[in-house]
Amino acid sequence: MPTDTPQPNFVLVRPQMGENIGAAARAMWNFGLDRMRIVAPRDGWPNQRAVAMASGAGRLLDEAVLTPDLPTALDDCAFTFATTARPRGLTKPVYTPEEAMKEAHARVQAGEKVAVMFGPERAGLENEDIAKANAIISVPVNPEFASLNLGQCVLLCAYEWRRAAHAATPMEYELAGTDWASAIEVEKLSEHYEDRLSDAGFFFPEEKADSMKTNLRNLWSRMPLTRADVQTLHGVLRQMVRWKERG
Amino acid sequence: MPTDTPQPNFVLVRPQMGENIGAAARAMWNFGLDRMRIVAPRDGWPNQRAVAMASGAGRLLDEAVLTPDLPTALDDCAFTFATTARPRGLTKPVYTPEEAMKEAHARVQAGEKVAVMFGPERAGLENEDIAKANAIISVPVNPEFASLNLGQCVLLCAYEWRRAAHAATPMEYELAGTDWASAIEVEKLSEHYEDRLSDAGFFFPEEKADSMKTNLRNLWSRMPLTRADVQTLHGVLRQMVRWKERG
């Protein structure tokens, strides 16, 4: 059974080596975190190498939530961080691990579900993955030598989580009778816009369509949207379609 | 040649596995530290496994100062920290890694030589070693699961060194070739949506129109919009209008 301590979910996206999944589990549990989600692990699941490496933190692997794709892993989360080693040409707020885990702590204390994504060992997260995040975490490393591996990146974030959770001065958000939108609500908003704008011929020319879609998704995911905002933005689009249909 | 950045010496005391010495070198250089001292490594020196693991940080091993005993390794240092995983019944100040590296930074800036000792993998430092230290560093781990290895302990201390040495940088946005939208740009965006949505009959019923407009304006003004975002959102709306006009 996971502990009942409110905490973020650490999401390993397409991890490659079992050893690194096990090392991530140990790194998390060293700092009291035990909610792992794993998206499409390269070598399938369960993974004996992960179990061997996790040793005393094996429970985290047994209880890990396995999903086939990233949207499923994030669908109940209202705020998602993506860890990246280098700039990606996407407009997002960039946090240090310390700032990010303070923010995560404040949100978790307020009852929100928070996720922190970690990419595959070799290449890190794809831009398409990062576009689903609200913010980026970048570890301030030596610019001449940036070679943190997956386990080390998890370790530093978990360490900062524990620092934030034990220093606790919770921040408050004023939410006027509404709640933050969850990732699945933002995802559905993205899809709604993408579908209707496709019908309307927005993604043109063809060779630019994919990057236009990524930019638009990034725009929605980056905004601090409440449920009420999401309803308004759906309503805006529906009204434009109705107007068209009336001719 | 080591960099000439003033910094503490990281002292590995009787390290056992070459892989861990290499991992420590990488962890240090990730955060810009390159002064390693090694006391009586179990498997002799040089160590090919250390070299293989260090990859891009191999220079630290070439330049490491090798000593047969701990007093020799520390003899020019004015202040020494000992990392320990558990209380040792020795009366010493106990620092977190953050506090320790702040202290180290202040001392190094004042021209003092500072050392940070790390014990052998299995048992950690002996009490006899710790007795030579001025203070203890203890990483605040989960009391139910404290299993940091040598490389991880070096990583956390090196990370905190870099945080201490680089005065807190404010949060940054990665702005992908764009700039924040000005208030007037956001205002024009608001107007554009308000006008077209009025044409489309969105603000209905009449008695709710004003509060719907206010909500929509608040939505735009509350979002961290770039110029590129504003252009995209204008484009979205224009395309919907064109689609309608094509009938």
Side-chain angles (χ1 to χ4, degrees):
Chain A
M1 281 290 289
T3 57
D4 55 9
T5 319
Q7 58 177 276
N9 299 282
F10 275 24
V11 183
L12 308 189
V13 182
R14 301 182 301 276
Q16 300 176 327
M17 294 176 61
E19 288 84 345
N20 292 328
I21 303 172
R26 286 174 65 114
M28 286 174 64
W29 188 227
N30 260 301
F31 295 105
L33 292 172
D34 63 356
R35 310 274 169 85
M36 183 184 270
R37 297 182 181 188
I38 306 173
V39 178
R42 184 190 65 187
D43 299 336
W45 198 254
N47 181 316
Q48 284 317 307
R49 287 168 184 267
V51 172
M53 179 61 92
S55 62
R59 177 176 66 78
L60 274 69
L61 302 180
D62 300 337
E63 295 165 0
V65 175
L66 196 77
T67 71
D69 55 47
L70 184 56
T72 313
L74 300 179
D75 70 3
D76 60 342
C77 294
F79 200 91
T80 299
F81 292 98
T83 55
T84 71
R86 54 197 162 82
R88 296 307 188 88
L90 291 169
T91 298
K92 297 270 187 204
V94 178
Y95 289 67
T96 63
E98 180 184 25
E99 293 160 346
M101 293 302 105
K102 279 185 181 162
E103 173 88 30
H105 186 253
R107 289 180 178 272
V108 165
Q109 287 299 105
E112 274 183 53
K113 288 212 175 184
V114 171
V116 184
M117 291 192 260
F118 299 87
E121 290 89 333
R122 195 159 304 232
L125 293 166
E126 303 285 338
N127 274 7
E128 193 191 318
D129 306 321
I130 297 173
K132 299 192 201 316
N134 301 88
I136 283 172
I137 300 176
S138 184
V139 180
V141 288
N142 177 4
E144 291 178 48
F145 186 71
S147 80
L148 290 179
N149 67 28
L150 174 59
Q152 289 172 321
C153 191
V154 169
L155 182 80
L156 291 172
C157 289
Y159 165 79
E160 287 290 5
W161 167 262
R162 191 168 179 92
R163 293 212 316 126
H166 288 72
T169 40
M171 242 186 326
E172 281 175 27
Y173 288 82
E174 187 187 337
L175 280 173
T178 181
D179 225 333
W180 294 110
S182 69
I184 194 158
E185 289 164 328
V186 177
E187 179 73 18
K188 282 185 191 302
L189 180 70
S190 270
E191 280 170 16
H192 187 191
Y193 270 77
E194 200 169 297
D195 291 350
R196 289 296 85 71
L197 287 168
S198 290
D199 297 343
F202 181 70
F203 300 110
F204 181 86
E206 187 66 32
E207 63 270 23
K208 285 202 176 167
D210 281 349
S211 78
M212 289 173 80
K213 287 177 186 175
T214 301
N215 278 335
L216 194 61
R217 283 181 174 255
N218 186 45
L219 193 160
W220 302 127
S221 67
R222 188 164 51 77
M223 299 296 152
L225 295 170
T226 63
R227 291 208 158 135
D229 294 334
V230 167
Q231 287 318 312
T232 299
L233 292 166
H234 277 300
V236 161
L237 190 59
R238 269 195 299 267
Q239 190 64 30
M240 295 304 289
V241 172
R242 257 184 238 123
W243 190 42
K244 174 212 164 40
E245 285 170 354
R246 283 201 309 267
Chain B
M1 281 288 290
T3 58
D4 55 9
T5 319
Q7 58 177 277
N9 300 281
F10 275 24
V11 183
L12 307 190
V13 182
R14 300 183 301 278
Q16 299 176 327
M17 294 175 61
E19 289 84 346
N20 292 329
I21 303 172
R26 288 174 64 113
M28 287 175 63
W29 189 226
N30 260 302
F31 294 105
L33 292 171
D34 62 356
R35 311 275 168 85
M36 183 185 269
R37 298 181 181 189
I38 307 173
V39 178
R42 183 189 68 187
D43 298 337
W45 200 255
N47 180 317
Q48 283 318 307
R49 287 168 184 266
V51 172
M53 179 61 92
S55 62
R59 175 175 68 78
L60 275 69
L61 302 180
D62 300 337
E63 296 165 358
V65 175
L66 197 77
T67 70
D69 56 47
L70 184 57
T72 313
L74 301 179
D75 69 3
D76 61 341
C77 295
F79 199 93
T80 299
F81 292 98
T83 55
T84 71
R86 53 197 163 82
R88 296 305 188 92
L90 291 169
T91 300
K92 297 269 186 207
V94 178
Y95 289 68
T96 63
E98 180 184 25
E99 294 159 347
M101 293 302 106
K102 279 185 181 161
E103 174 86 31
H105 186 251
R107 289 178 178 274
V108 164
Q109 287 299 104
E112 275 184 52
K113 287 211 176 187
V114 171
V116 184
M117 291 192 264
F118 300 87
E121 292 89 332
R122 194 159 307 232
L125 292 166
E126 301 286 337
N127 275 6
E128 192 192 318
D129 305 321
I130 297 173
K132 299 192 200 322
N134 301 87
I136 283 172
I137 300 176
S138 184
V139 181
V141 288
N142 177 3
E144 291 178 48
F145 186 70
S147 80
L148 290 180
N149 67 28
L150 175 58
Q152 290 172 320
C153 191
V154 169
L155 183 80
L156 292 172
C157 289
Y159 165 78
E160 287 290 5
W161 167 262
R162 191 170 179 90
R163 293 214 313 127
H166 290 71
T169 45
M171 192 177 81
E172 285 168 23
Y173 260 84
E174 183 189 342
L175 280 172
T178 182
D179 222 333
W180 294 112
S182 66
I184 191 149
E185 288 164 329
V186 176
E187 180 69 22
K188 283 186 191 302
L189 181 70
S190 268
E191 281 171 15
H192 187 190
Y193 270 77
E194 203 170 296
D195 291 351
R196 290 295 86 72
L197 287 167
S198 288
D199 298 344
F202 181 69
F203 300 109
F204 181 87
E206 188 65 34
E207 64 271 24
K208 285 201 178 167
D210 280 349
S211 78
M212 288 173 81
K213 286 177 188 174
T214 303
N215 278 338
L216 194 60
R217 284 183 173 256
N218 185 47
L219 193 160
W220 302 129
S221 66
R222 190 163 50 76
M223 299 295 152
L225 295 170
T226 63
R227 290 207 159 138
D229 294 336
V230 167
Q231 287 318 312
T232 300
L233 292 165
H234 277 299
V236 161
L237 191 59
R238 270 195 299 267
Q239 190 64 30
M240 295 304 289
V241 171
R242 255 183 241 126
W243 190 41
K244 175 209 163 41
E245 285 171 353
R246 283 202 308 265

